Amino acid sequence: MVTLETIVSLAKRRGFVFQGSEIYGGLRSVWDFGPLGIELKRTIKDAWWKYMIQEREDIEGIDTAILMHPAVWQASGHVSGFTDPLVECKTCHNRYREDQLSSNLSKCPDKDCDGDLTESRQFNLMFQTHMGPIQDEGSKIFLRPETAQGIFVNFENVMTATRKKIPFGIGQIGKSFRNEITPGNFIFRTREFEQMEMEFFCEPNKADDWFEYWIDFSLKWFQIIGLEKKNLRKREHSEDERPHYAKAALDIEYQFPWGWGELETINNRSDHDLKNHAEKSGKDLSFFDEDSKERYIPWVVEPAMGADRTVLAVLCDAYREEDLENKDKRVLLKFNPIISPVQVAILPLSKNEKLAKFSSDLYQKLKKSFRCQFDVTQSIGKRYRRQDEIGTPICLTIDFDTVEKDNCVTLRHRDTMEQIRINVKNVEKEIENLLANF
Ligand code: ATP
């Protein structure tokens, strides 16, 4: 299994992820997505949006503000309940999440320190700031710790505007912020991250069925974007680890280099959120079922996943090192082509004018249908290695025969390294076929 250090180093070298504010020494656990990283994250988010929202008739999309009325977080229970147990070492003053330490540990986990730990206290994870020029209690506002609340407060708006009936869902992708006690493991746990969440509103007595449905759906989706089944597992929450709003919760975990880690939680949030918002806002958030003539507050089942954690999972899952016949080694990212940041590389064999013109025309044409990269630097061998390392499934090489003799290009397959000559007239169809059957 690949180490996290290898992934971090490749991510930096090839422009997937950089340390945030690096030239100032970095800001702890804050990361910036580089040119390939942002493409990768976008393709993952697009695949989620397409599969979760655009291809379904029962789900609508939304994009709500990060800043919300402070009453939202009172009603949702986050002000009182969105906490982690914090302990501090009395000697080195390092802070730890008590529930992440091995049980009954009363000494600092740093072996060189071994100081006594304080009693645990509940630490609220919400970031606070102030709105407007006066910094008093009245101007206090939070950065959202989950995107879900923007959906709940718009439940009525979306239902009315779209004439949806229960059951239906609302999905959102966006930034969330949590003042994590112990961020770490690269982009796995950060204080600013992106979530892909969908709140599914249903009849109370159907929530258990939908809970199972969204677990299966999510497992399928992770495999659609290329994660191997053997690296995924389900883990039910014990009663004491469930979030304050959840009646039932199950994690989908991925086998990261350091062990199993959560990628997504599927929560049965019952009527917790809508009921509390209805009470606190005075707005009726119930639904009237025309068929049964019953009025009720819908229950909510929520698949909530992290975009950044999914990026890390696909990087780890795709990473391969292969020994070549000439004793060389090649590194490749075996991305599923639907998420590859670059799908086709166009590589003229030399900078010759004729080749450059032909290649440039081909690039202009292909980039309308595929994510393409044009690269004319270094030897062709080095360029293949580079494309392997960033997970490009197809390379097209244009040589002198292409322009002088046969109008054919060399198409190289990332995984088999097989090369075929193909007439440029058929290249688009061939790429389409190959990408669909990789
Ligand atoms: P954890 O137990 O790892 O702290 P959580 O159970 O609190 O996570 P949820 O509230 O269920 O997380 O959020 C849904 C998803 O959002 C998580 O499965 C994860 O993919 C993502 N996520 C949550 N916190 C972070 C974070 N600090 N950094 C990156 N992604 C996160």
Side-chain angles (χ1 to χ4, degrees), residues 200 202-218 234-237 242 246-252 264-270 299-303:
F200 196 76
C202 63
E203 272 181 75
N205 62 7
K206 301 272 169 60
D208 288 344
D209 293 343
W210 282 112
F211 186 67
E212 295 304 323
Y213 174 90
W214 289 112
I215 294 167
D216 289 347
F217 181 96
S218 304
K234 299 188 272 190
R235 193 186 64 81
E236 237 166 281
H237 282 208
R242 237 180 265 149
K247 230 176 156 306
L250 179 141
D251 287 348
I252 294 183
E264 174 180 22
T265 302
I266 293 97
N267 287 303
N268 176 347
R269 296 180 78 125
S270 70
W299 276 36
V300 171
V301 178
E302 163 203 69

Side-chain angles (χ1 to χ4, degrees), residues 65-85:
I66 287 171
L67 301 177
M68 300 184 76
H69 195 293
V72 168
W73 306 110
Q74 296 281 357
S76 68
H78 282 78
V79 171
S80 54
F82 195 59
T83 55
D84 276 339

Side-chain angles (χ1 to χ4, degrees), residues 178 180 188-190 193 195 262-265 304 306 309:
R178 294 182 190 176
E180 298 277 1
F188 178 80
R189 187 181 301 286
T190 51
F193 53 95
Q195 291 186 303
E262 173 185 331
L263 269 186
E264 174 180 22
T265 302
R309 281 191 192 179

Side-chain angles (χ1 to χ4, degrees), residues 34-52:
L36 289 179
I38 184 59
E39 282 298 330
L40 180 60
K41 188 145 83 149
R42 282 178 73 119
T43 60
I44 289 170
K45 290 191 292 184
D46 287 351
W48 186 87
W49 195 260
K50 185 163 181 284
Y51 193 57
M52 181 63 96

Side-chain angles (χ1 to χ4, degrees), residues 303-323:
M305 64 175 80
D308 314 79
R309 281 191 192 179
T310 308
V311 168
L312 183 56
V314 299
L315 281 170
C316 296
D317 216 76
Y319 186 90
R320 301 282 190 288
E321 286 178 16
E322 284 181 4
D323 293 322

Side-chain angles (χ1 to χ4, degrees), residues 56-60 151-152 154-160 162-170 198-207 210 214 270-271 274 284-301:
R56 295 188 66 110
E57 283 167 30
D58 56 351
I59 317 259
E60 299 289 336
I151 295 177
F152 296 131
N154 279 289
F155 164 70
E156 179 72 27
N157 283 339
V158 174
M159 190 164 64
T160 310
T162 61
R163 291 170 290 124
K164 280 274 179 298
K165 290 195 166 43
I166 300 294
F168 78 97
I170 307 175
M198 196 279 292
E199 309 304 314
F200 196 76
F201 302 93
C202 63
E203 272 181 75
N205 62 7
K206 301 272 169 60
W210 282 112
W214 289 112
S270 70
D271 56 0
L274 288 185
D284 180 10
L285 299 177
S286 64
F287 171 76
F288 182 70
D289 187 325
E290 302 280 355
D291 298 331
S292 67
K293 306 288 178 223
E294 271 183 67
R295 181 169 285 284
Y296 58 87
I297 298 221
W299 276 36
V300 171
V301 178

